[in-house]
Amino acid sequence: MSFSIINKIVNESLKISLLNIKHKSQLIHNNPFLYSFTDHSINHSERMLSCINSYLAECQQKNLLNQYECYVLAAAVYLHDIGIQNTKTDMLEKFATTHNVSFNGDRPELKAEFIRQEEYRKSYRCVRMIETPMMI
């Protein structure tokens, strides 16, 4: 079996919480706002975890992180692009009005600019929706 930071999480509450985060973030990622963006699906997060696992294994640092640090790292990987995928139309209309622009099909760069400017706020709202009780 290859090394995995997720396998280092032995606390049952942490495991359940991480599975909940993964599942709920996958639901958001399954309905992308911009299809022209690079892949920001759950597959992107899984590839990132694979890179982290490989790096720690290659550097012989498998014991560098405890289970709580592994949990935080894995949760961050699943949630890091969540704001890109969850954009409400009313927010987009507000941006268009404020910047005196129109979002029609031939202006995808405007949607991308909006997403980049608002991602941290949207990410916060998404994380609040995903919140999962964690008993340690």
Side-chain angles (χ1 to χ4, degrees):
M1 176 189 266
S2 63
F3 173 72
S4 169
I5 62 169
I6 292 176
N7 292 340
K8 285 189 71 176
I9 303 169
V10 294
N11 179 293
E12 213 45 49
S13 293
L14 290 177
K15 285 182 185 180
I16 292 168
S17 176
L18 188 60
L19 285 173
N20 191 30
I21 288 169
K22 179 182 178 180
H23 173 72
K24 289 184 178 178
S25 66
Q26 188 169 12
L27 293 176
I28 293 170
H29 284 298
N30 284 345
N31 187 21
F33 178 67
L34 285 182
Y35 291 95
S36 60
F37 264 31
T38 57
D39 179 22
H40 286 92
S41 69
I42 200 72
N43 296 330
H44 170 62
S45 296
E46 295 294 342
R47 285 191 304 275
M48 287 183 63
L49 284 172
S50 178
C51 288
I52 292 167
N53 293 332
S54 295
Y55 175 77
L56 291 174
E58 287 171 20
C59 295
Q60 298 179 349
Q61 297 294 323
K62 295 178 184 178
N63 296 318
L64 180 67
L65 304 173
N66 65 39
Q67 71 170 330
Y68 302 102
E69 293 165 327
C70 289
Y71 168 84
V72 170
L73 180 57
V77 167
Y78 287 127
L79 297 172
H80 81 277
D81 279 332
I82 206 80
I84 289 175
Q85 299 301 336
N86 189 23
T87 301
K88 295 182 179 177
T89 306
D90 59 334
M91 293 170 58
L92 199 57
E93 290 170 2
K94 181 179 178 184
F95 177 86
T97 303
T98 304
H99 291 81
N100 197 26
V101 294
S102 172
F103 287 119
N104 51 28
D106 59 357
R107 301 289 307 270
E109 73 281 359
L110 291 177
K111 288 182 182 179
E113 179 185 344
F114 164 75
I115 287 172
R116 286 186 184 97
Q117 287 181 9
E118 296 295 316
E119 181 181 359
Y120 72 96
R121 286 186 188 101
K122 293 179 292 173
S123 295
Y124 172 78
R125 285 192 291 275
C126 289
V127 169
R128 295 288 297 179
M129 288 185 332
I130 289 175
E131 269 189 70
T132 177
M134 181 174 54
M135 294 187 225
I136 300 174

